[in-house]
Amino acid sequence: MPEWLEIVVIVAFAIGAVFFFAKYRETAAALHESERMKARLSNDLNRYRDVPKLRALRDALIGVKALPTDDEGNEHLLLSDGDLQLHHLVLRREANALGKEGTASYIKDGKEVELQELE
């Protein structure tokens, strides 16, 4: 085989190898970015997964929607925690409407603490 043909073949293989590794690196970077985005979006979905439940709970507790009530006047609620473990809550409601200037407070450790609105 002539020497110039060997050189042409070696150069062609070298150029092919450069293109192959460049494409491999680009594909690996795209795959890494895809996995990163998948993890981020999954975390976002987990964070916002409970929003409809929290809105329903808020509506039920402020009286917009009624909770199931038993014969003794107790209200019942079934909630799942972060581990998807179900909890049965029995509520006895005592509601006091506040005026525009009104504030609610409670006693904790012998001190009066102003209650903040949930956001």
Side-chain angles (χ1 to χ4, degrees), residues 1-117:
M1 181 156 47
E3 188 176 317
W4 62 270
L5 184 60
E6 288 179 17
I7 294 173
V8 168
V9 170
I10 291 172
V11 169
F13 276 117
I15 291 173
V18 167
F19 281 116
F20 171 77
F21 286 117
K23 191 64 174 174
Y24 173 79
R25 187 174 176 194
E26 179 183 329
T27 304
L31 182 61
H32 176 73
E33 180 66 15
S34 171
E35 290 294 322
R36 191 186 69 77
M37 289 298 292
K38 184 174 82 172
R40 194 186 112 225
L41 291 174
S42 177
N43 289 340
D44 287 347
L45 286 176
N46 286 340
R47 186 176 341 150
Y48 295 116
R49 172 186 56 176
D50 293 331
V51 169
K53 287 182 189 177
L54 292 174
R55 286 186 181 144
L57 176 61
R58 178 200 62 198
D59 292 344
L61 291 177
I62 63 172
V64 174
K65 294 180 183 177
L67 290 172
T69 307
D70 63 13
D71 294 337
E72 298 170 1
N74 295 325
E75 297 180 72
H76 296 268
L77 189 60
L78 195 61
L79 284 177
S80 58
D81 60 9
D83 298 329
L84 300 178
Q85 183 76 24
L86 287 176
H87 298 278
H88 177 207
L89 300 176
V90 180
L91 305 170
R92 184 78 160 156
R93 186 181 300 241
E94 179 182 324
N96 300 320
L98 296 176
K100 295 203 183 258
E101 304 281 330
T103 60
S105 62
Y106 61 97
I107 305 294
K108 181 177 180 182
D109 298 328
K111 297 179 182 175
E112 188 169 332
V113 178
E114 186 174 323
L115 187 61
Q116 300 294 321
E117 184 178 355

